């Protein structure tokens, strides 16, 4: 699932990104609780906005650890925003996986101070 997600992000393939998430996917952002959401429709809206805002976005997973149906991932995302400023985010996303798709995540990605 993680490899498919990274490939979909790097291909800027919105449909493939959304296909990595369950319809009732639940996203928790513990450091920013109001940013949490539920559903693949919001995944679609979020990634459509990200791809539009950072047209050269590249993602890589630096490390992973798997424990049953839970995957810990360390990410780096880079690119250039439409206003020519640098975009760089790093952090951890913990995914719960069922049936080959993310059913939930705890999201700890943050912008990097440049």
């Amino acid at each position: 699932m993680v490899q498919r997600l990274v490939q979909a992000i790097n291909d800027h393939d919105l449909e493939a990104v959304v296909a990595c998430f369950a319809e009732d996917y639940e996203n928790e952002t513990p450091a920013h609780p109001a940013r949490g959401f539920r559903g693949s429709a919001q995944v679609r809206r979020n990634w459509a906005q990200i791809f539009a805002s950072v047209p050269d976005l590249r993602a890589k997973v630096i490390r992973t650890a798997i424990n049953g149906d839970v995957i810990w991932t360390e990410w780096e995302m880079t690119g250039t925003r439409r206003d020519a400023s640098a975009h760089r985010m790093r952090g951890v996303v913990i995914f719960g996986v069922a049936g080959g798709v993310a059913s939930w995540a705890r999201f700890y990605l943050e912008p990097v101070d440049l």
Side-chain angles (χ1 to χ4, degrees):
M1 184 232 89
V2 172
Q3 291 171 343
R4 285 186 294 120
L5 180 57
V6 170
Q7 187 66 51
I9 291 168
N10 288 335
D11 290 346
H12 293 217
D13 184 340
L14 182 58
E15 296 307 315
V17 169
V18 175
C20 292
F21 296 88
E23 190 173 317
D24 62 348
Y25 166 76
E26 187 170 348
N27 180 286
E28 237 184 303
T29 307
H32 308 281
R35 295 181 189 172
F37 65 90
R38 186 177 193 95
S40 61
Q42 187 63 49
V43 170
R44 176 183 304 282
R45 286 189 292 272
N46 291 353
W47 279 101
Q49 181 180 6
I50 292 166
F51 289 149
S53 300
V54 187
D56 64 344
L57 181 71
R58 300 296 298 166
K60 66 180 173 180
V61 172
I62 299 164
R63 291 177 186 83
T64 61
I66 300 171
N67 183 6
D69 62 355
V70 177
I71 304 173
W72 291 64
T73 57
E74 180 182 357
W75 291 78
E76 180 177 57
M77 293 189 189
T78 60
T80 307
R81 293 185 189 96
R82 292 263 179 221
D83 67 2
S85 63
H87 172 85
R88 178 164 289 150
M89 293 188 74
R90 291 185 183 136
V92 172
V93 181
I94 306 164
F95 291 103
V97 178
V101 297
S103 57
W104 59 266
R106 290 178 60 86
F107 194 84
Y108 298 93
L109 280 179
E110 293 287 336
V112 174
D113 293 334
L114 299 175

